[in-house]
Amino acid sequence: MAHALVDWCRFNGAGSLFIDPGSPWQNGWIESFNARLRDEFLNGQQFDSLFEAKVLLGDWRHEYNHDRTHSALRRQTPVKFAEAWKFKNQQRLAGQVA
């Protein structure tokens, strides 16, 4: 899997950053999300099957992205924030595609 990711990055002109094991301060955003997922979802659930876990996680993810506002996004949902950002940057994005 790691080799496929390295190839994808190389062919797409993207880079990657190494995060040292045991160094969560190097990527605080994902650590914050992981803590929220654990506190709000995983710690309060008991799953009887993988299918049940996938369905319940899908519901939680939809609520997190579509219904819940986030203070870091100026009290918008992630979906609304992305739509507003795309609208604001539409011309610049169109120039990158052409």
Side-chain angles (χ1 to χ4, degrees), residues 82-94:
E83 288 171 357
W85 188 91
K86 285 180 199 174
F87 180 77
K88 181 180 175 185
N89 294 284
Q90 193 170 20
Q91 289 181 334
R92 186 170 55 91
L93 291 171

Side-chain angles (χ1 to χ4, degrees), residues 5-48:
L5 181 58
V6 168
D7 288 343
W8 184 92
C9 288
R10 188 179 62 223
F11 292 127
N12 289 284
S16 64
L17 296 174
F18 178 76
I19 296 174
D20 295 313
S23 301
W25 56 86
Q26 291 179 343
N27 190 348
W29 292 279
I30 194 62
E31 292 299 323
S32 175
F33 174 78
N34 286 343
R36 182 160 287 122
L37 174 66
R38 188 173 39 256
D39 290 344
E40 295 180 10
F41 180 68
L42 295 174
N43 289 345
Q45 300 290 332
Q46 181 176 346
F47 309 110
D48 294 324

Side-chain angles (χ1 to χ4, degrees), residues 67-78:
D67 302 327
R68 179 187 299 183
T69 59
H70 297 249
S71 60
L73 303 177
R74 291 180 244 135
R75 307 306 313 165
Q76 297 178 79
T77 66

